[in-house]
Amino acid sequence: MMRLQLSIRAVVLALALVLSPAEAQQYPGGTHRFESPQGELAIHSGFVNNWNAHTFNVYSFLFKPVNSELGWQQVPVVERNDGSDLKFTVLTANTVDFTLRDARVAVVHGTFELWVAQKIYKESPYDDNVSVQLRRYVLVQTEDEERWVFQYASSRDLGRGTTIEQALNPRSRMKTK
């Protein structure tokens, strides 16, 4: 009986290794801190395991502005200028073979930017016509509530043959301006 349990555990471990994503997430589990002239940004990354190939990480953001007495603030991602669409997390996604969606924070000209890259497809992420869209958000302080948000700034189709990792690489030729 003990030998059977060990065999089952070995098979489960082997399956977990085979079914894990092909590429590492931009931010593994834990807290990652970055500084810019704006202040300090903390990215919290947590792993969600579904015991299959559809595991993912969840990123959330805290920001402490320079010379602010307010302390740390939760930073939402805002798609529209009216502020009605606040998202407090960014989810990654992957298949067994490649990453479908991930995000990266960069400092561009002293300002924090959030880049979210995602594969766009109709039927399957394995189709020939799959492209990668890169959405760019800029950390700004709202005028009315003085809240800090990642405000949508632009999006760009990077075309076919681009990986999520290439899209998020700051040294890549595909870097946004």
Side-chain angles (χ1 to χ4, degrees):
M1 183 67 164
M2 182 70 152
R3 191 176 287 178
L4 178 62
Q5 288 176 338
L6 289 175
S7 295
I8 292 172
R9 286 185 187 153
V11 169
V12 169
L13 180 59
L15 279 173
L17 292 173
V18 169
L19 295 177
S20 64
E23 299 287 336
Q25 305 305 140
Q26 291 293 317
Y27 301 103
T31 300
H32 309 271
R33 293 179 185 230
F34 303 91
E35 291 186 13
S36 82
Q38 287 179 298
E40 185 177 1
L41 183 74
I43 301 169
H44 300 287
S45 175
F47 180 69
V48 179
N49 188 346
N50 290 330
W51 295 102
N52 60 29
H54 305 290
T55 60
F56 58 95
N57 279 43
V58 177
Y59 303 147
S60 63
F61 310 94
L62 290 175
F63 181 65
K64 184 176 181 183
V66 170
N67 301 325
S68 174
E69 297 172 8
L70 298 176
W72 290 94
Q73 299 179 32
Q74 187 81 39
V75 179
V77 178
V78 179
E79 294 290 334
R80 296 189 300 267
N81 285 333
D82 64 8
S84 64
D85 187 24
L86 303 177
K87 293 182 179 152
F88 289 92
T89 59
V90 173
L91 305 179
T92 68
N94 55 62
T95 69
V96 174
D97 301 315
F98 48 80
T99 306
L100 294 172
R101 176 182 168 91
D102 204 350
R104 180 185 193 114
V105 170
V107 178
V108 178
H109 305 297
T111 302
F112 282 114
E113 290 190 2
L114 171 65
W115 302 341
V116 178
Q118 180 169 342
K119 286 195 179 275
I120 305 297
Y121 54 90
K122 288 185 181 182
E123 299 290 326
S124 164
Y126 294 92
D127 291 345
D128 291 336
N129 61 351
V130 174
S131 66
V132 171
Q133 180 186 61
L134 182 66
R135 296 180 67 81
R136 187 174 64 90
Y137 303 83
V138 178
L139 183 66
V140 297
Q141 186 175 28
T142 62
E143 292 179 23
D144 54 349
E145 298 175 7
E146 297 182 5
R147 173 193 331 216
W148 288 88
V149 299
F150 275 120
Q151 179 67 52
Y152 171 77
S154 65
S155 65
R156 186 172 162 194
D157 187 338
L158 301 177
R160 294 177 14 192
T162 303
T163 67
I164 298 300
E165 292 76 20
Q166 289 169 333
L168 296 176
N169 184 346
R171 292 179 291 277
S172 172
R173 62 181 167 75
M174 294 166 276
K175 179 180 167 188
T176 60
K177 295 178 175 75

